Amino acid sequence: MRQSPLVVVANRLPIDDSVAPDGAFEWRRSPGGLVSALHPLLRQTPATWVGWAGGTGPAPALPDVDGVRMHTVPLSAEDFRDHYEGFANATLWPLYHDAVEQPEYHRRWWEAYQRVNQRFAEAAAETAEPGGLVWVQDYHLQLVPGLLRDLRPDLRIGFFLHVPFPPPELFMQLPRRAELLRGMLGADLIGFQRAQAAHNFAQLATKVLGLPATDRRIGVDGRVVRIGAFPVAIDTAEMSALAARPEVAERARRLRQDLGQPEQVILSVDRMDYTKGIEQRLKAYRELLASGDIKVRDTVLVQVAVPSRDRVAQYQILRDRVEHQVGRINGEFGRVGEPAIHYLSQPFDRAELVALYRVADVMAVTPLRDGMNLVAKEYVAARVDGTGALLLSEFAGAASELEQAYLVNPHDLDGLKQGLLAALRAGPEDVSARMRAMRDHLARNDIHAWAASYLSALEESGSLAGRRAATR
């Protein structure tokens, strides 16, 4: 077993399900998300990625991808059903997103979550070199830091939560809340997207576990665990360079032509998920069409809804509702050759997605709750000509950074409509000033700054691990 100085532990390996003609795997780059955040970092750092390959049964042996070693963790069909579809995505996911859908609690799901987390912890323990660094990712693996510390106390362990962390009154609903908190506290550094999430966690450490805590440090088992906000970023320079390629600009020109050369194009790119506010956005758009504030010939909405968790019943129901809504709107307001909404339920490759970003006069990113939302940041980075308006939910983590966006409350239908009209009707000087400020922010706070900030904090946290717990 080869060992690595840096081990990333995440639910999924960052590979595409398909294999290239030469037999190689490629990085899986979906809109936003974990892989988009970590890919630029790991291209430059010798590392092993521990994760699930996507199928059930024995773990396949996979080749290195872009120099990153792939260490597969097996999941049985029962593990997938009860850990991934069950506790992770039917218990934790809805609870962490303001209980937009009602969380479900089943004891066998918790048993599977423990079992799978133990398997991931053992895999990380095998692959990390002595004194190495292990970076555990996201809500699927909240027990891993504690389990890994029991197995390998020599390691520096980081944990990063890519989704929101809920307020105490919601988290307290969890039947196994203490075990989850203890699992995360096995890390030396726990990173969140926003400062409020760190505050929520510190409150719960005191309330549930009786630990001394501030919004920066928690004392546990004679150690100091640091916590804090480290907003995830993107590779701004790489995105801008891709958007500036002549072939991408030409593809954007052809896409606009294919859309009928409308005066304005609105774009939304989401995973098919009930947290993304797709239904609310479509309803607002329909009402603007009905009132005459938007006319089909002048304005086009392109809604990309990438399939997600197709086997989970809630997602199947959502997809049916969204497709019914799109069909109804096109039936009422579309014309032959001029649909009101261009609806695309498919993943896009990187260049095609960036071409869409370049086409969009308005990017509508209006989740009901989101940890960060990297699509919003990707859109800003792709607007190399300094144009384009970003309509952004107040409840996306990106809103605290991209303050110059047209911010809206997606739960307020009238406010959502007003925000969309404001973005569509804004003058070029206002649009340019807002975009320039957001692009400047992303240039200063890119993926490299994010990684350096988190990893330097983890280095410092490791030096604190042997000290007696104390808070200030």
Side-chain angles (χ1 to χ4, degrees):
M1 172 65 65
R2 292 185 296 170
Q3 295 181 318
S4 296
L6 172 62
V7 176
V8 171
V9 186
N11 178 64
R12 281 295 303 268
L13 291 172
I15 54 172
D16 199 348
D17 293 332
S18 59
V19 181
D22 62 0
F25 286 87
E26 297 181 348
W27 284 83
R28 175 173 48 87
R29 301 290 296 276
S30 60
L34 172 63
V35 176
S36 294
L38 293 182
H39 177 253
L41 168 67
L42 297 183
R43 283 184 305 185
Q44 305 173 20
T45 306
T48 295
W49 189 303
V50 172
W52 170 54
T56 57
L62 300 178
D64 294 358
V65 180
D66 283 358
V68 179
R69 195 172 307 133
M70 299 289 141
H71 183 93
T72 54
V73 176
L75 290 187
S76 67
E78 181 184 9
D79 293 331
F80 178 77
R81 183 190 68 231
D82 293 343
H83 164 262
Y84 179 76
E85 294 182 331
F87 195 80
N89 287 312
T91 300
L92 294 180
W93 177 268
L95 188 77
Y96 284 16
H97 289 83
D98 291 352
V100 173
E101 289 282 335
Q102 184 63 35
E104 297 181 42
Y105 307 103
H106 299 286
R107 282 171 289 187
R108 74 174 187 278
W109 289 0
W110 169 249
E111 292 165 0
Y113 190 80
Q114 290 176 294
R115 180 173 68 246
V116 171
N117 273 245
Q118 181 70 43
R119 200 174 303 152
F120 273 81
E122 290 170 355
E126 290 176 10
T127 55
E129 69 177 24
L133 188 156
V134 177
W135 197 357
V136 184
Q137 309 289 327
D138 226 359
Y139 64 101
H140 314 83
L141 303 174
Q142 285 177 230
L143 299 180
V144 168
L147 295 168
L148 184 57
R149 183 160 297 281
D150 290 340
L151 293 169
R152 292 284 305 276
D154 61 298
L155 298 173
R156 283 168 297 146
I157 303 170
F159 179 81
F160 191 86
L161 190 67
H162 292 261
V163 300
F165 190 81
E169 56 269 22
L170 274 180
F171 190 86
M172 291 294 287
Q173 294 180 21
L174 278 170
R176 310 310 290 259
R177 58 202 185 194
E179 290 94 326
L180 282 169
L181 294 174
R182 282 276 180 190
M184 294 171 69
L185 286 166
D188 295 299
L189 174 66
I190 303 172
F192 300 94
Q193 300 278 22
R194 306 181 81 168
Q196 183 61 50
H199 175 72
N200 293 344
F201 186 82
Q203 284 188 306
L204 283 159
T206 298
K207 185 179 182 66
V208 176
L209 302 177
L211 299 175
T214 71
D215 289 357
R216 297 173 56 202
R217 296 184 178 188
I218 300 172
V220 55
D221 298 334
R223 298 184 299 114
V224 174
V225 178
R226 293 186 63 189
I227 63 174
F230 301 86
V232 171
I234 64 169
D235 191 335
T236 307
E238 184 247 7
M239 175 59 67
S240 295
L242 179 56
R245 288 182 185 174
E247 63 270 25
V248 173
E250 173 60 21
R251 178 57 181 153
R253 186 193 66 77
R254 293 200 310 270
L255 281 169
R256 196 172 195 99
Q257 192 173 52
D258 292 343
L259 291 170
Q261 296 288 9
E263 291 181 14
Q264 291 184 300
V265 175
I266 305 166
L267 173 66
S268 288
V269 178
D270 308 280
R271 284 191 307 102
M272 182 64 78
D273 193 287
Y274 50 78
T275 66
K276 300 300 182 182
I278 300 172
E279 292 178 282
Q280 290 82 353
R281 188 186 312 137
L282 292 175
K283 186 173 182 181
Y285 189 69
R286 180 189 176 280
E287 290 191 7
L288 289 172
L289 287 170
S291 66
D293 288 296
I294 289 177
K295 300 185 185 302
V296 169
R297 182 160 293 175
D298 302 329
T299 304
V300 166
L301 170 62
V302 179
Q303 173 65 65
V304 176
V306 179
S308 174
R309 300 166 190 156
D310 285 342
R311 291 184 18 163
V312 179
Q314 292 166 318
Y315 290 80
Q316 295 169 356
I317 294 168
L318 173 65
R319 180 171 180 166
D320 290 345
R321 288 203 308 254
V322 166
E323 293 180 352
H324 175 78
Q325 204 171 349
V326 169
R328 180 188 174 194
I329 293 170
N330 280 334
E332 285 187 79
F333 301 102
R335 300 183 179 91
V336 174
E338 292 182 344
I341 299 173
H342 291 257
Y343 173 72
L344 302 165
S345 178
Q346 57 192 267
F348 282 80
D349 68 36
R350 195 79 169 154
E352 186 79 358
L353 185 61
V354 174
L356 280 170
Y357 289 156
R358 288 204 57 168
V359 169
D361 301 289
V362 174
M363 183 80 200
V365 181
T366 58
L368 304 178
R369 171 64 73 185
D370 225 336
M372 176 51 61
N373 197 292
L374 297 183
V375 167
K377 293 187 174 185
E378 289 179 349
Y379 174 73
V380 171
R383 300 303 298 190
V384 290
D385 61 358
T387 65
L390 175 62
L391 182 75
L392 183 60
S393 166
E394 298 170 355
F395 303 109
S400 62
E401 296 182 80
L402 304 179
E403 298 174 345
Q404 296 80 15
Y406 296 87
L407 297 175
V408 293
N409 174 2
H411 301 273
D412 175 6
L413 194 62
D414 289 333
L416 182 54
K417 289 160 56 180
Q418 291 165 11
L420 183 53
L421 287 177
L424 287 167
R425 294 172 178 174
E429 291 185 2
D430 181 44
V431 167
S432 177
R434 289 170 181 258
M435 183 57 67
R436 183 169 55 252
M438 291 188 291
R439 285 179 59 81
D440 287 347
H441 173 83
L442 292 189
R444 294 190 306 270
N445 298 275
D446 67 357
I447 186 69
H448 306 291
W450 172 70
S453 173
Y454 183 90
L455 293 175
S456 63
L458 182 53
E459 291 277 359
E460 184 180 344
S461 299
S463 70
L464 292 172
R467 299 183 190 176
R468 189 160 188 80
T471 60
R472 68 168 186 253

